[in-house]
Amino acid sequence: MKLPFEELNLRRNPFGQLTAKERARLAVVDVDRFVQALHQPGQVFEFFGHSGRGKTTHMRGIWRHFPQAPFLRVAEERERFSIPDHPVVFIDEAQFLTRRQRRKTFTAQRSYVVGTHKKLHSIYQRAGLHFETVELRGLSAEKLASIIESRIEASRRGPGPIPRVHDDAIHLLIEEFGDNIRAIEGRLYEIFQRLDRPCLVDESFLQPATSAPTHTKNGATARKEQSQVGDV
Amino acid sequence: MINRCDLTIEFDEPSRRYKTGEEVTGFVTVDVNKDCRCNGLQVDCQWRTHGRGNQSTGSTATDNIFEGEWTAGGVHRYPFSFVIPNGPCSYHGHVLNVDWYIIARANIPWSFDPWEEADFLVEPGWNTAYEPYLTGDPTCSSNASLEHRIQVAQSGELGTVIFGFAFFLVGIIACLNFAFDDESSVGGLIMALIFSAVGAVTIYFGLRNRLATIKLGEIQVQIPQKRLRAGGIVEVLIDIPPASRAHLNKITARLVATEVVISGVGTNKTTHTHIVYDDPPHTFEGSVDRELLEGESAHFSHRYRLPYDVPPSFHADENDLNWSIAFHVDIARWPDWEQYRPLEVLPADPRAREEEQAIDDDDWSEAPPLTEDAVW
């Protein structure tokens, strides 16, 4: 048994699930202007977009500059919801707030960073908040390349070569999945599971697994073949 | 304010391979470029999952190995030592991995606390008592007693019927709406028919075992040893008290191990599964083309050996490796009976394995030895 992903000079699959802190640390987002504005009360930045477009990642990127601030996620099932006392509050999945909760949550004495699938402008207006909606749509090849680079680099085990993703593959991923970063991560996770040495992941790796190139391990299948149960 | 504080973790054992119950030892080296005070150099030893699911962490053993002043330019080296508990062992699967870590964290006033972590491998031990082996986090709900999970597995049928009935009802109401409403679209009718069909099929699967018992009576499944080691023998018994005359095509049992992990929260929650072990169905002796007569109980049994290199069960929040046996009673011209029963698989005992190898090498043709590439 080897250390995990040792053969790739990595410590783990770079496209596996991250903790909230790791997501904040690795977020490839320009947050300076948000961070500055949030120091004043009465400001709302609303991140709006479909699932997998980076709402939570943007919020985590900003939250990194306010590590003491509460980061709340509203549950789909109606639950009691209270806001701890802090000048900046992060609320993810805000579309699930009930009307009553919305009225009680937003006040002009605080600033907010909100992630939502539904715009909540009237609520902010009623609370006297100055708001800006940041619609997360579209993904450039440069941005995706830097997201991928930061994820792989953060998983590095030691000095030396590590797998890289070729620009052509990045363009193909955008062609296939559009701006759905989560789906792209899922695809890259599967590709990195199959690698057996640091190499350049090009477009040939995006073929279905059966016709994938040779730098792959076939761990699960091999294990199955090795492990036949014997009747007693 | 400190400018640079680098932590390095070195293991005394360069291969970083340890057995359960052994001591993991090494040094944390600190390199600072300015004199500074350290309010505590804390070292943790813990297991953690990684892969497609949300990360789960095991209980941590912690040691404060230093508190005081660090001078620039000097080498500051502090030993650490932890006894590895009896599980879980390291596991590298497809959507689930379990690994062990030493994490060093320096508490430095007025600065971001520098930290460093290094992974190491934990394998089944020679010197460890195997009971109780820790199959992950003992406090998580999926690590509840095996008996509880067996009850859950058996109570799933009612839920399936209710779910199917709800679908069926919605489909029928929509069909009636089409019949009495001139403005309904054909697309709506197709959707209604799909709902009805899905509902009907789900109800059938939910009631299938009930229908089978009309012919075969209450089928009793027994697994005398539900908690066994890799390399051990699974014995399964089935008793059928036929309620009427029936013809059995065959009875089979299949061992399956599946990684089940959950990623995301709220609306982003996704379950990922990956089958890591799925052996071909084993047919019970004497069950093929068997005629059963009303009132004459039939007993079937089957024993098979698990390979030594299969991964053990693992349970933590949102990260599981589940073992189960799927039973299938194929009844001629009648709905089949199917049920699965959870099992708990523990790592192989290296001593038992060696002893057995010494006694009879021929047996090993069925269960191949461990290789470097194997999971175990």
Side-chain angles (χ1 to χ4, degrees):
Chain A
M1 196 180 199
K2 293 173 184 166
L3 291 167
F5 294 88
E6 196 177 13
E7 63 278 18
L8 306 184
N9 191 22
L10 299 175
R11 289 180 287 111
R12 60 179 180 201
N13 189 321
F15 301 99
Q17 196 69 8
L18 301 174
T19 61
K21 277 190 176 171
E22 285 171 326
R23 195 164 279 281
R25 188 163 55 85
L26 298 176
V28 181
V29 288
D30 184 12
V31 296
D32 288 353
R33 80 182 176 91
F34 304 121
V35 171
Q36 278 177 13
L38 284 167
H39 283 109
Q40 300 296 321
Q43 179 71 47
V44 179
F45 288 109
E46 180 187 69
F47 289 94
F48 171 81
H50 293 296
S51 290
R53 267 63 181 181
K55 294 186 295 295
T56 308
T57 304
H58 272 81
M59 294 173 72
R60 286 286 178 194
I62 300 169
W63 176 75
R64 202 172 169 227
H65 297 264
F66 301 92
Q68 305 303 320
F71 194 109
L72 309 165
R73 181 181 286 272
V74 186
E76 201 167 351
E77 310 80 38
R78 292 182 180 185
E79 285 178 357
R80 285 179 70 94
F81 185 83
S82 62
I83 303 274
D85 190 25
H86 197 275
V88 183
V89 177
F90 292 73
I91 306 171
D92 202 3
E93 307 268 22
Q95 73 276 6
F96 293 132
L97 287 170
T98 61
R99 281 188 184 180
R100 188 157 175 265
Q101 285 171 333
R102 288 175 192 178
R103 275 201 306 273
K104 288 181 79 177
T105 299
F106 293 100
T107 69
Q109 281 75 49
R110 290 176 175 148
S111 283
Y112 301 86
V113 181
V114 174
T116 178
H117 291 268
K118 188 178 163 190
K119 290 177 181 168
L120 303 172
H121 294 177
S122 58
I123 308 296
Y124 313 139
Q125 279 165 344
R126 200 174 302 147
L129 290 155
H130 178 257
F131 65 91
E132 181 185 334
T133 296
V134 182
E135 197 160 342
L136 299 171
R137 185 190 279 180
L139 176 65
S140 69
E142 292 72 29
K143 178 153 187 187
L144 181 57
S146 91
I147 292 170
I148 291 172
E149 174 74 17
S150 85
R151 293 289 289 265
I152 299 173
E153 202 53 56
S155 307
R156 178 187 277 281
R157 182 171 284 283
I162 52 175
R164 300 279 175 205
V165 181
H166 194 275
D167 288 349
D168 291 348
I170 287 170
H171 282 103
L172 263 181
L173 284 166
I174 292 176
E175 238 174 64
E176 190 177 347
F177 297 105
D179 55 3
N180 190 345
I181 300 168
R182 195 171 298 135
I184 293 172
E185 285 174 359
R187 188 63 187 276
L188 287 169
Y189 181 93
E190 293 301 326
I191 291 171
F192 272 65
Q193 279 297 120
R194 300 200 312 260
L195 298 181
D196 68 354
R197 63 184 168 85
C199 60
L200 189 63
V201 174
D202 60 21
E203 48 199 305
S204 62
F205 283 81
L206 295 172
Q207 308 301 323
T210 45
S211 57
T214 52
H215 321 310
T216 62
K217 61 183 172 191
N218 211 357
T221 318
R223 281 199 287 278
K224 268 190 229 169
E225 284 165 1
Q226 278 175 17
S227 311
Q228 293 298 316
V229 172
D231 286 347
V232 177
Chain B
M1 178 88 118
I2 191 167
N3 286 341
R4 183 172 58 78
C5 176
D6 293 334
L7 306 180
T8 317
I9 297 166
E10 291 168 65
F11 291 87
D12 288 335
E13 170 56 51
S15 69
R16 300 197 203 174
R17 294 168 76 118
Y18 296 89
K19 309 275 188 208
T20 52
E22 282 185 355
E23 213 175 344
V24 52
T25 57
F27 289 88
V28 177
T29 309
V30 183
D31 179 13
V32 288
N33 69 340
K34 229 175 171 183
D35 292 358
C36 69
R37 168 151 188 90
C38 170
N39 283 346
L41 177 60
Q42 182 183 308
V43 182
D44 299 336
C45 175
Q46 63 174 211
W47 61 259
R48 196 165 71 217
T49 64
H50 58 104
R52 290 221 73 175
N54 298 329
Q55 291 184 14
S56 287
T57 306
S59 59
T60 308
T62 300
D63 197 3
N64 267 303
I65 57 175
F66 175 76
E67 187 180 339
E69 304 290 331
W70 281 328
T71 49
V75 176
H76 311 284
R77 212 156 171 256
Y78 308 98
F80 65 82
S81 159
F82 295 98
V83 174
I84 303 164
N86 194 19
C89 291
S90 303
Y91 168 70
H92 300 151
H94 190 77
V95 294
L96 170 69
N97 301 279
V98 183
D99 273 296
W100 281 82
Y101 298 88
I102 294 289
I103 303 160
R105 196 176 281 109
N107 180 354
I108 294 172
W110 307 106
S111 173
F112 280 114
D113 292 346
W115 65 280
E116 178 63 27
E117 70 175 23
D119 46 7
F120 63 96
L121 295 170
V122 173
E123 295 169 331
W126 286 87
N127 306 314
T128 319
Y130 269 79
E131 296 287 344
Y133 173 77
L134 298 170
T135 54
D137 182 356
T139 62
C140 90
S141 56
S142 57
N143 222 345
S145 73
L146 200 55
E147 283 66 29
H148 174 71
R149 279 190 281 135
I150 290 168
Q151 282 173 7
V152 170
Q154 288 171 317
S155 64
E157 292 165 9
L158 181 65
T160 310
V161 173
I162 292 169
F163 184 75
F165 187 71
F167 254 71
F168 186 71
L169 202 63
V170 168
I172 291 295
I173 290 169
C175 283
L176 290 173
N177 186 45
F178 180 83
F180 295 109
D181 185 357
D182 295 341
E183 290 174 14
S184 294
S185 65
V186 178
L189 177 66
I190 293 169
M191 281 301 291
L193 289 172
I194 290 172
F195 260 69
S196 308
V198 169
V201 170
T202 311
I203 292 170
Y204 167 76
F205 277 103
L207 289 177
R208 192 172 54 166
N209 282 1
R210 288 282 117 214
L211 293 172
T213 55
I214 294 172
K215 277 263 184 203
L216 301 184
E218 285 297 329
I219 298 171
Q220 298 293 321
V221 173
Q222 286 182 59
I223 307 172
Q225 203 182 349
K226 300 176 194 80
R227 197 173 151 92
L228 71 155
R229 293 176 191 155
I233 290 165
V234 190
E235 187 180 16
V236 286
L237 309 164
I238 291 190
D239 288 345
I240 300 179
S244 64
R245 192 188 173 103
H247 182 87
L248 282 186
N249 285 337
K250 62 180 172 182
I251 301 175
T252 58
R254 205 173 106 233
L255 261 171
V256 183
T258 314
E259 296 170 1
V260 184
V261 302
I262 295 169
S263 68
V265 285
T267 51
N268 300 328
K269 216 168 195 174
T270 311
T271 303
H272 310 269
T273 58
H274 182 80
I275 294 175
V276 286
Y277 185 88
D278 187 359
D279 89 275
H282 288 240
T283 306
F284 282 65
E285 203 181 317
S287 73
V288 179
D289 276 334
R290 171 86 178 261
E291 202 67 32
L292 300 178
L293 301 173
E294 186 182 344
E296 284 184 20
S297 282
H299 311 285
F300 304 92
S301 68
H302 192 76
R303 283 155 61 89
Y304 41 23
R305 181 192 291 280
L306 269 175
Y308 277 90
D309 58 354
V310 293
S313 303
F314 177 81
H315 307 290
D317 279 339
E318 301 179 329
N319 290 274
D320 290 275
L321 195 155
N322 296 321
W323 276 92
S324 60
I325 302 183
F327 294 94
H328 184 182
V329 179
D330 185 347
I331 311 162
R333 301 175 300 281
W334 198 259
D336 293 349
W337 183 92
E338 272 190 7
Q339 198 172 77
Y340 83 89
R341 290 291 179 92
L343 269 186
E344 206 76 283
V345 174
L346 313 179
D349 181 344
R351 279 171 299 193
R353 185 180 175 168
E354 272 204 357
E355 280 166 18
E356 197 162 326
Q357 199 164 15
I359 293 166
D360 189 357
D361 276 346
D362 291 344
D363 278 356
W364 290 92
S365 57
E366 287 175 348
L370 277 177
T371 66
E372 277 299 303
D373 299 330
V375 177
W376 295 102

